[in-house]
Amino acid sequence: MNEDVAKVASSTPLWIMAFIFVGIVMFQALIFLKVAKKSAPDVGMTSKEVKTAIRTGFISSLGPSFGIAIVLISLIALLGSPLTLMRIGIIGSAATESAAAGIGANAFGMELTSENFSTQAFTTVVWTMCLGGMGWLLFAALFTKSLGNTQKKIEKKNPKAMKIISSAAMLGAFGYLASEQMVTSVTHTIAGIAALFSMVVIMIVAEKGNFSWLKESALGIAMVIGMASAYFTTLF
């Protein structure tokens, strides 16, 4: 990153915008948490179950956060801290933002690591990243309510159908994300298989022994086992 781009990338206006956006995200998280805790009794959840759900969510977020942190460091070096904070804070997908940054730079006819990376190219990258992330935000804003109504109609006709659809959607989403990485190399494949089998074993043990704490930590443990197995495969 040359001096001119570095000045723009670390300018005060960008820092202000970054803090505003991240502040909005944190405010939303607190509001959602408050509403969820308030609505819990209406769906039959006890205060203990709410605390367990919050703790499980926190533990489950640690693994993906470490992965994002690694990409975060490289994006900071290429695009500066404010823009990286702004984009990762809103979307949270390091892979998506990295791809968008690369596409923006290529559209301007250069690479992110080019020595002649100009302020115009940086501006193109910013626009690409921001516009590229608008799709799902607009979809969520415009169609969340209607999708909720659709869910209620399905549940009225067939209560079991919604559970099947939700489970299938989750399995499809995680399956797609996992398989996309597993085909990258043998190391990725071994890591995915190790994490999958360890998750199954942990959940069986937790279910039979009624270990609620183990269920909460299952995803984190499976991730660590997957990463450890991937590391060991690189030693051979």
Side-chain angles (χ1 to χ4, degrees):
M1 185 185 295
N2 62 49
E3 190 175 342
D4 292 335
V5 176
K7 285 182 180 179
V8 175
S10 301
S11 61
T12 302
L14 271 181
W15 272 114
I16 293 172
M17 291 175 67
F19 281 122
I20 290 173
F21 290 144
V22 173
I24 292 172
V25 172
M26 293 177 68
F27 175 74
Q28 286 179 322
L30 292 173
I31 292 298
F32 282 134
L33 183 61
K34 183 179 178 180
V35 172
K37 291 179 71 174
K38 188 177 179 180
S39 305
D42 297 334
V43 295
M45 289 183 70
T46 63
S47 58
K48 183 180 179 181
E49 289 174 331
V50 172
K51 290 178 181 178
T52 300
I54 293 172
R55 190 163 56 246
T56 302
F58 173 75
I59 294 171
S60 300
S61 69
L62 292 178
S65 296
F66 286 129
I68 291 174
I70 295 171
V71 181
L72 192 73
I73 295 170
S74 61
L75 282 178
I76 288 174
L78 296 170
L79 303 173
S81 300
L83 180 61
T84 303
L85 175 64
M86 190 190 310
R87 298 308 307 154
I88 298 296
I90 295 174
I91 304 301
S93 173
T96 300
E97 295 307 310
S98 300
I103 291 169
N106 292 334
F108 200 79
M110 58 181 62
E111 300 291 331
L112 285 171
T113 54
S114 300
E115 293 182 3
N116 58 341
F117 190 74
S118 62
T119 53
Q120 290 83 1
F122 177 77
T123 304
T124 305
V125 168
V126 173
W127 276 105
T128 304
M129 294 173 78
C130 292
L131 292 175
M134 283 178 62
W136 44 67
L137 295 176
L138 287 174
F139 185 88
L142 296 174
F143 297 105
T144 298
K145 188 175 181 180
S146 60
L147 287 174
N149 294 332
T150 303
Q151 177 182 342
K152 290 177 182 177
K153 290 179 182 177
I154 295 173
E155 287 177 341
K156 284 182 180 179
K157 292 182 178 180
N158 189 348
K160 293 182 179 180
M162 201 61 229
K163 291 182 179 179
I164 295 171
I165 293 171
S166 300
S167 299
M170 289 295 289
L171 287 171
F174 282 108
Y176 171 77
L177 293 171
S179 60
E180 187 179 28
Q181 295 299 319
M182 288 173 68
V183 297
T184 305
S185 68
V186 175
T187 300
H188 287 74
T189 303
I190 293 173
I193 293 173
L196 173 63
F197 277 101
S198 60
M199 185 72 174
V200 172
V201 172
I202 291 169
M203 291 304 294
I204 291 173
V205 173
E207 193 69 34
K208 287 185 177 180
N210 197 23
F211 301 127
S212 58
W213 62 270
L214 188 57
K215 289 182 181 179
E216 296 170 19
S217 309
L219 181 59
I221 295 171
M223 285 181 173
V224 171
I225 292 173
M227 289 187 286
S229 62
Y231 170 73
F232 285 122
T233 58
T234 62
L235 301 178
F236 300 101

